[in-house]
Structures are given as C-alpha cells and as structure tokens.
Amino acid sequence: MNNSNIIITNIKELVGILPKNKLVLGGKEMNELSILKNAFIEVQEDKIQSFGSMKDLKLKDTQNIFDANGGSVLPSWNDSHTHLVFAKSREKEFIDKINGLSYEQIAKKGGGILNSALHLEKISEKTLYENSKQRLKNIINLGTGAIEIKSGYGLSLEGELKILRTIKRLKETFDIEIKSTFLGAHALPTKYKNKREKYLDLIIYEMLPNIHKEGLADYIDVFCETNYFNVDELDRILDAGAKFNLKPKVHVNQFTSIGGIQKAIEHKAISVDHLEIMEENDYDSLRNSSTIATLLPSCSFFIDIAYAPARKLMDKNIPFALASDLNPGSSPNGNMNLVNSLACIKMKILPEAVINASTINGAYAMEISNLTGSITVGKQANLIITKPIESYPYLFYSFGENCIERTMVKGKWNK
Ligand code: NIG
Ligand code: FE
C-alpha cells in the first residue's frame, strides 16, 4: 500500500483531539478528552492532514483507504522514561524478590544496577544494538510512537559511550522520535567504592566532553537518592551538563525525599521522574515550576513499592506524564498499555487523564508536544488503531489483553 496518502475510515471513536496550542495538560483539564464518534482521519505523507465525521467524508480516487471497521484511533503513547538499551535480563533478582529481599537489599549484595553494568561491559556493541532494536520494535507494535532512552548501565567512559552510540544508531534506524539521556550518575561503580570524587570527575571531565564531541545526548539524568547520589552531587552534575547544553530529566523521590525536586527545578529540569515518596514542600515546588512530573506505575508494581500520588498531583494542578521506566531491574516491561491500566487501577486515575498523561504530557516531557501527542492537523501521524472495542476505557479495563490492531509512526504502518 502506498503510504503517502491514507484515509482511515469507520473509526468508532477518534480519541484525543486537541487544538494546536495545547502542549501540556494539568489538573481538571487532564480529565477532559475530546472525542469524535464515527469518524475518519486523513494522513498525508508523515502528518495528519484532516479528520472529521464519516458523514462529511468525500473520497478522492487517489486515496488509500484503511477501514478501521469499528476500531478506535488514538494518538500513539509517548514513553518519556526508559532504560531500553541494556545487556541482559535479571530474573535471578526476581526470584530474590519473591523470597522477600527488597530492591535495596538486592543492590547491596551486588545485584541491581551494578549487575547490569557487569553484563554491559561484556556485550559487544553489535549485539547490544540487535537486542535493543528488537525490544524497540516490540514496543512500537504495542503503540509507542516516541521514546526517551537513557544510558546508565555503562558506568565507565567506554560503557556509557557504548550505550549512547547504540541509542544514536536506533535514532538513525527508526522513524520514531527518540531522545537520548546521559545517566552516568546511576550508581557508584564498585571500583570507585572509596573514591566517590574520582567518579564524579570521570563524569564531569571525561564522559561529558566525549559525549558532547560525538553529539550523543539530548538530556542529563542523575539517580538522586539515599545511597546513590546526593543533592550536592546532583547540583554539580547538572551544572556540568548545562555547560554542554544538556537539560535535566532526573530520577528523584523514589525511596526518599531529600531535596532533589527543588534542586532539579532550580536547574530548570524538563521533568522530575518517579515521585513515589512526596513531602508537602515537594508539591509546592512543583506547582510553581514548569517542570513536569513523570510517574512510573509499572516500577511500583514490579518492585512492590508505593505508587506516586497521581490524584494528589491532579488536585494540586500539577501536570504529570506516565512512562514505562523499561529496565531490567525495576520494570522489565515497556508495554504502555499495561502502564495505563496500572495508573487506572492502582493510582485511581480516570482513563481520560491516563490517555492525556501518556500522550500529550509524555510528549511534553520530551519537548516534542508541538510535533506529536494528540489528534491535531499538522502533527505527526503517530496513531494507534484498536480492534473493535465497546469504548476507549475498555483498553485499560481489559488489562493484559492486546487491543491494538495496527500502529502507525509518521504516516507509515508498523509490522
Ligand atoms: O528507574 N531507579 C533507578 N533506576 C532504574 C532502575 C535501574 C535498575 O534497577 O536497573 C529505575 O527504576
Ligand atoms: Fe528509571
């Protein structure tokens, strides 16, 4: 089928229509979702050309028709927080967890991020790329239409470059928007155990300049957490990143609230991610900033910790995005449909807000909500076509069921 012009007809519900100037939604707005029933949408090249009611559709001979046949159409999911490039799964730790060990206890006995770094050191860049490519293909077929990917399992100059070069190759291979984030400060490598300062120097004076030279990162991240990196270290690393024009997207408040949110906001972070543990002053800081919160319910599910207080964020008018956190330790699943179900079930967020959080707000958390994240004329044709379903909440209600018929990125069908 020639993809340059496609018209999708007989859409039961065309979901997530937004005006061009709506780039992020917060508070009550998150519960509003604009829908057109019995609709069509027209795609020209890589963009949304028009949409409307089936009764107003006038077909031209040149148009390729795809009959949605009672399926619904939504904007693709925008997954703004992943660690998709990793060497190996960690199911041994899964067994440890079943046997009662916590995420922190597993990390202390040599599991966790350091375990992933050992595997990363051994894998060739070629195999790392092939594995990551397959992983990305799978999640694109599950409806993801833009993604952020972090480094952070290298923890050495060569290792971090290996991951970031792999992300660069993925950017070159795939049509979907990919944002790349440097997370050198993910954990302190074993050989720096008593030389913390030396590792910070390595990040600041070796990794960052080399990453910059090859143009490998869009953002900078730090795992700011008790037993990982403290607020002063966050400050120094974000300062160093700023010298290379890297804006922050940071891990904060996963286990403890230690001031990471405030420091990230001071550095004009694009997003603060996790937020399972929040103090009152954390909400105040966020409410007065343009930094978006990013919540990761599948991480809470998998390592069995608290869920971020999504409803409270909504009540306080603080916008948030939902993301998968795909990684081998705390969320070995990049399926945004499951993330969305968990947000409904465990965070008590209505399907309307969940869709907004995973589409337009996810795009905002990657600074691409002017390009994608809604059904808007002129935006990228990044679409999910569902199987025939009764109504869109069914997508999350039927958790674990794959309701997706087809997905499209920039006007091209995915296989
Ligand atoms: O976002 N919290 C820090 N980093 C990852 C987990 C990394 C791992 O366990 O491999 C996260 O949950
Ligand atoms: Fe993460």
CSV table of all heavy atoms in Angstrom, one decimal, residues 341-381:
chain,number,residue,atom,x,y,z
A,341,SER,N,-3.1,0.8,32.4
A,341,SER,CA,-4.1,0.0,33.2
A,341,SER,C,-3.7,0.2,34.7
A,341,SER,O,-4.6,0.4,35.6
A,341,SER,CB,-4.0,-1.5,32.9
A,341,SER,OG,-4.7,-1.7,31.7
A,342,LEU,N,-2.4,0.1,35.0
A,342,LEU,CA,-2.0,0.3,36.4
A,342,LEU,C,-2.3,1.7,36.9
A,342,LEU,O,-2.7,1.8,38.1
A,342,LEU,CB,-0.4,0.0,36.5
A,342,LEU,CG,0.0,-1.4,36.3
A,342,LEU,CD1,1.5,-1.5,36.2
A,342,LEU,CD2,-0.5,-2.3,37.5
A,343,ALA,N,-2.2,2.7,36.1
A,343,ALA,CA,-2.5,4.0,36.5
A,343,ALA,C,-4.0,4.1,36.9
A,343,ALA,O,-4.3,4.7,37.9
A,343,ALA,CB,-2.1,5.0,35.4
A,344,CYS,N,-4.8,3.5,36.1
A,344,CYS,CA,-6.2,3.5,36.4
A,344,CYS,C,-6.5,2.7,37.8
A,344,CYS,O,-7.1,3.2,38.7
A,344,CYS,CB,-7.1,2.8,35.3
A,344,CYS,SG,-7.2,3.7,33.8
A,345,ILE,N,-5.9,1.5,37.8
A,345,ILE,CA,-6.3,0.6,38.9
A,345,ILE,C,-5.6,1.0,40.2
A,345,ILE,O,-6.3,1.0,41.2
A,345,ILE,CB,-5.9,-0.9,38.5
A,345,ILE,CG1,-6.7,-1.3,37.2
A,345,ILE,CG2,-6.2,-1.9,39.6
A,345,ILE,CD1,-6.1,-2.5,36.5
A,346,LYS,N,-4.3,1.2,40.1
A,346,LYS,CA,-3.6,1.5,41.4
A,346,LYS,C,-3.5,2.9,41.8
A,346,LYS,O,-3.3,3.3,42.9
A,346,LYS,CB,-2.2,0.8,41.3
A,346,LYS,CG,-2.1,-0.6,40.9
A,346,LYS,CD,-2.8,-1.5,42.0
A,346,LYS,CE,-2.1,-1.7,43.3
A,346,LYS,NZ,-2.7,-2.7,44.1
A,347,MET,N,-3.5,3.8,40.8
A,347,MET,CA,-3.4,5.3,41.1
A,347,MET,C,-4.7,5.9,41.1
A,347,MET,O,-4.8,7.1,41.4
A,347,MET,CB,-2.5,6.0,40.1
A,347,MET,CG,-1.0,5.5,40.2
A,347,MET,SD,-0.1,6.3,38.8
A,347,MET,CE,1.6,6.2,39.5
A,348,LYS,N,-5.8,5.2,40.7
A,348,LYS,CA,-7.1,5.7,40.7
A,348,LYS,C,-7.3,7.0,39.8
A,348,LYS,O,-7.9,8.0,40.1
A,348,LYS,CB,-7.6,6.1,42.1
A,348,LYS,CG,-7.5,4.9,43.1
A,348,LYS,CD,-8.6,3.9,43.0
A,348,LYS,CE,-8.5,2.9,44.0
A,348,LYS,NZ,-7.7,1.7,43.6
A,349,ILE,N,-6.7,6.8,38.6
A,349,ILE,CA,-6.7,7.9,37.6
A,349,ILE,C,-7.7,7.5,36.5
A,349,ILE,O,-7.7,6.3,36.0
A,349,ILE,CB,-5.3,8.1,37.0
A,349,ILE,CG1,-4.4,8.6,38.1
A,349,ILE,CG2,-5.3,9.1,35.9
A,349,ILE,CD1,-4.8,9.9,38.8
A,350,LEU,N,-8.6,8.4,36.1
A,350,LEU,CA,-9.6,8.0,35.1
A,350,LEU,C,-8.9,7.8,33.8
A,350,LEU,O,-7.9,8.5,33.5
A,350,LEU,CB,-10.6,9.2,35.0
A,350,LEU,CG,-11.5,9.3,36.3
A,350,LEU,CD1,-12.3,10.6,36.2
A,350,LEU,CD2,-12.5,8.1,36.4
A,351,PRO,N,-9.6,7.0,32.9
A,351,PRO,CA,-9.0,6.7,31.6
A,351,PRO,C,-8.7,8.0,30.8
A,351,PRO,O,-7.7,8.1,30.1
A,351,PRO,CB,-10.1,5.9,30.9
A,351,PRO,CG,-10.8,5.2,32.0
A,351,PRO,CD,-10.7,6.2,33.2
A,352,GLU,N,-9.5,9.0,30.9
A,352,GLU,CA,-9.3,10.3,30.2
A,352,GLU,C,-7.9,10.9,30.6
A,352,GLU,O,-7.1,11.3,29.7
A,352,GLU,CB,-10.4,11.3,30.5
A,352,GLU,CG,-11.8,10.9,30.0
A,352,GLU,CD,-12.4,9.8,30.8
A,352,GLU,OE1,-12.0,9.5,31.9
A,352,GLU,OE2,-13.4,9.2,30.2
A,353,ALA,N,-7.7,11.0,31.9
A,353,ALA,CA,-6.4,11.6,32.4
A,353,ALA,C,-5.2,10.7,32.0
A,353,ALA,O,-4.1,11.2,31.7
A,353,ALA,CB,-6.5,11.8,33.9
A,354,VAL,N,-5.5,9.4,32.1
A,354,VAL,CA,-4.4,8.4,31.7
A,354,VAL,C,-4.0,8.6,30.3
A,354,VAL,O,-2.8,8.7,29.9
A,354,VAL,CB,-4.9,7.0,32.0
A,354,VAL,CG1,-4.0,6.0,31.3
A,354,VAL,CG2,-4.9,6.7,33.5
A,355,ILE,N,-4.9,8.8,29.4
A,355,ILE,CA,-4.6,9.0,28.0
A,355,ILE,C,-3.9,10.3,27.8
A,355,ILE,O,-2.8,10.3,27.1
A,355,ILE,CB,-5.9,8.9,27.1
A,355,ILE,CG1,-6.4,7.5,27.1
A,355,ILE,CG2,-5.6,9.4,25.7
A,355,ILE,CD1,-7.8,7.3,26.4
A,356,ASN,N,-4.3,11.3,28.4
A,356,ASN,CA,-3.6,12.6,28.3
A,356,ASN,C,-2.2,12.5,28.9
A,356,ASN,O,-1.2,13.1,28.3
A,356,ASN,CB,-4.4,13.7,29.1
A,356,ASN,CG,-5.6,14.2,28.3
A,356,ASN,OD1,-5.6,14.2,27.0
A,356,ASN,ND2,-6.7,14.5,29.0
A,357,ALA,N,-2.0,11.8,30.0
A,357,ALA,CA,-0.7,11.7,30.6
A,357,ALA,C,0.3,10.9,29.7
A,357,ALA,O,1.5,11.2,29.7
A,357,ALA,CB,-0.8,11.0,32.0
A,358,SER,N,-0.3,9.9,29.0
A,358,SER,CA,0.6,9.0,28.2
A,358,SER,C,0.8,9.6,26.7
A,358,SER,O,1.5,8.9,26.0
A,358,SER,CB,0.0,7.6,28.1
A,358,SER,OG,0.2,7.0,29.4
A,359,THR,N,0.0,10.6,26.4
A,359,THR,CA,0.2,11.1,25.0
A,359,THR,C,0.7,12.5,25.0
A,359,THR,O,1.9,12.7,24.9
A,359,THR,CB,-1.2,11.0,24.3
A,359,THR,OG1,-2.2,11.8,25.0
A,359,THR,CG2,-1.7,9.6,24.1
A,360,ILE,N,-0.1,13.5,25.2
A,360,ILE,CA,0.4,14.9,25.1
A,360,ILE,C,1.4,15.2,26.2
A,360,ILE,O,2.4,15.9,26.0
A,360,ILE,CB,-0.8,15.9,25.1
A,360,ILE,CG1,-0.3,17.3,24.8
A,360,ILE,CG2,-1.6,15.9,26.4
A,360,ILE,CD1,0.0,17.5,23.3
A,361,ASN,N,1.1,14.8,27.5
A,361,ASN,CA,2.1,15.1,28.5
A,361,ASN,C,3.4,14.3,28.4
A,361,ASN,O,4.4,14.9,28.8
A,361,ASN,CB,1.4,14.9,29.9
A,361,ASN,CG,0.4,16.0,30.3
A,361,ASN,OD1,0.2,16.9,29.5
A,361,ASN,ND2,-0.2,15.9,31.4
A,362,GLY,N,3.3,13.1,27.9
A,362,GLY,CA,4.5,12.4,27.6
A,362,GLY,C,5.4,13.1,26.6
A,362,GLY,O,6.6,13.2,26.7
A,363,ALA,N,4.7,13.6,25.6
A,363,ALA,CA,5.4,14.4,24.5
A,363,ALA,C,6.0,15.6,25.1
A,363,ALA,O,7.2,16.0,24.8
A,363,ALA,CB,4.4,14.7,23.4
A,364,TYR,N,5.3,16.3,26.0
A,364,TYR,CA,5.8,17.5,26.7
A,364,TYR,C,7.1,17.2,27.5
A,364,TYR,O,8.0,18.0,27.5
A,364,TYR,CB,4.7,18.1,27.6
A,364,TYR,CG,5.1,19.4,28.2
A,364,TYR,CD1,5.0,20.6,27.5
A,364,TYR,CD2,5.6,19.4,29.5
A,364,TYR,CE1,5.3,21.8,28.1
A,364,TYR,CE2,6.0,20.6,30.1
A,364,TYR,CZ,5.8,21.8,29.4
A,364,TYR,OH,6.2,23.0,30.0
A,365,ALA,N,7.1,16.0,28.1
A,365,ALA,CA,8.2,15.6,28.9
A,365,ALA,C,9.5,15.3,28.0
A,365,ALA,O,10.5,15.0,28.5
A,365,ALA,CB,7.9,14.4,29.8
A,366,MET,N,9.3,15.3,26.7
A,366,MET,CA,10.4,15.1,25.8
A,366,MET,C,10.5,16.3,24.9
A,366,MET,O,11.2,16.3,23.8
A,366,MET,CB,10.2,13.8,24.9
A,366,MET,CG,10.2,12.5,25.7
A,366,MET,SD,10.2,11.1,24.6
A,366,MET,CE,8.4,10.9,24.4
A,367,GLU,N,9.8,17.4,25.2
A,367,GLU,CA,9.8,18.6,24.4
A,367,GLU,C,9.4,18.5,23.0
A,367,GLU,O,9.9,19.1,22.1
A,367,GLU,CB,11.2,19.3,24.5
A,367,GLU,CG,11.7,19.7,25.9
A,367,GLU,CD,13.0,20.4,25.9
A,367,GLU,OE1,14.0,19.7,25.6
A,367,GLU,OE2,13.0,21.6,26.1
A,368,ILE,N,8.5,17.6,22.7
A,368,ILE,CA,8.0,17.4,21.4
A,368,ILE,C,6.5,17.5,21.2
A,368,ILE,O,5.9,17.0,20.3
A,368,ILE,CB,8.5,16.0,20.8
A,368,ILE,CG1,8.1,14.8,21.7
A,368,ILE,CG2,10.0,16.1,20.5
A,368,ILE,CD1,8.4,13.5,21.1
A,369,SER,N,5.8,18.1,22.2
A,369,SER,CA,4.4,18.2,22.2
A,369,SER,C,3.9,19.1,21.1
A,369,SER,O,2.7,19.1,20.8
A,369,SER,CB,3.8,18.4,23.5
A,369,SER,OG,4.2,19.6,24.0
A,370,ASN,N,4.7,19.9,20.4
A,370,ASN,CA,4.3,20.6,19.3
A,370,ASN,C,4.3,19.7,18.0
A,370,ASN,O,3.7,20.1,17.0
A,370,ASN,CB,5.3,21.8,19.0
A,370,ASN,CG,6.7,21.4,18.9
A,370,ASN,OD1,7.1,20.3,19.4
A,370,ASN,ND2,7.5,22.1,18.1
A,371,LEU,N,4.9,18.5,18.1
A,371,LEU,CA,5.0,17.6,17.0
A,371,LEU,C,4.1,16.5,17.0
A,371,LEU,O,3.7,15.9,16.0
A,371,LEU,CB,6.4,17.1,16.8
A,371,LEU,CG,7.6,18.0,16.7
A,371,LEU,CD1,8.9,17.3,16.7
A,371,LEU,CD2,7.4,18.8,15.4
A,372,THR,N,3.8,16.0,18.3
A,372,THR,CA,3.0,14.8,18.4
A,372,THR,C,2.3,14.8,19.8
A,372,THR,O,2.4,15.7,20.6
A,372,THR,CB,4.0,13.6,18.3
A,372,THR,OG1,3.2,12.4,18.3
A,372,THR,CG2,5.0,13.5,19.5
A,373,GLY,N,1.5,13.8,20.0
A,373,GLY,CA,0.8,13.6,21.3
A,373,GLY,C,-0.7,13.9,21.3
A,373,GLY,O,-1.4,13.8,22.3
A,374,SER,N,-1.2,14.2,20.1
A,374,SER,CA,-2.7,14.5,20.0
A,374,SER,C,-3.1,14.3,18.6
A,374,SER,O,-2.3,14.3,17.6
A,374,SER,CB,-3.0,15.9,20.5
A,374,SER,OG,-2.3,16.8,19.8
A,375,ILE,N,-4.4,14.2,18.4
A,375,ILE,CA,-5.0,14.3,17.1
A,375,ILE,C,-5.2,15.8,16.7
A,375,ILE,O,-6.1,16.4,17.2
A,375,ILE,CB,-6.4,13.5,17.0
A,375,ILE,CG1,-6.2,12.1,17.5
A,375,ILE,CG2,-7.0,13.6,15.6
A,375,ILE,CD1,-5.4,11.2,16.7
A,376,THR,N,-4.3,16.3,16.0
A,376,THR,CA,-4.2,17.7,15.6
A,376,THR,C,-3.7,17.8,14.2
A,376,THR,O,-2.7,17.2,13.9
A,376,THR,CB,-3.2,18.4,16.6
A,376,THR,OG1,-3.6,18.2,17.9
A,376,THR,CG2,-3.2,19.9,16.3
A,377,VAL,N,-4.4,18.5,13.4
A,377,VAL,CA,-4.0,18.7,12.0
A,377,VAL,C,-2.5,19.3,12.0
A,377,VAL,O,-2.3,20.3,12.7
A,377,VAL,CB,-4.9,19.6,11.2
A,377,VAL,CG1,-4.4,20.0,9.8
A,377,VAL,CG2,-6.3,18.9,11.0
A,378,GLY,N,-1.7,18.7,11.2
A,378,GLY,CA,-0.3,19.2,11.1
A,378,GLY,C,0.7,18.4,12.0
A,378,GLY,O,1.9,18.5,11.8
A,379,LYS,N,0.2,17.7,13.0
A,379,LYS,CA,1.1,16.9,13.8
A,379,LYS,C,1.5,15.6,13.1
A,379,LYS,O,0.8,15.2,12.2
A,379,LYS,CB,0.4,16.6,15.2
A,379,LYS,CG,0.6,17.7,16.2
A,379,LYS,CD,0.3,17.3,17.6
A,379,LYS,CE,0.5,18.4,18.6
A,379,LYS,NZ,0.2,18.0,19.9
A,380,GLN,N,2.5,15.0,13.6
A,380,GLN,CA,2.9,13.7,13.0
A,380,GLN,C,1.8,12.7,13.1
A,380,GLN,O,1.1,12.6,14.1
A,380,GLN,CB,4.1,13.1,13.8
A,380,GLN,CG,5.4,13.9,13.6
A,380,GLN,CD,6.5,13.5,14.6
A,380,GLN,OE1,6.4,12.5,15.4
A,380,GLN,NE2,7.6,14.1,14.4
A,381,ALA,N,1.6,11.9,12.1
A,381,ALA,CA,0.6,10.8,12.1
A,381,ALA,C,1.1,9.6,12.9
A,381,ALA,O,1.6,8.6,12.3
A,381,ALA,CB,0.2,10.4,10.7
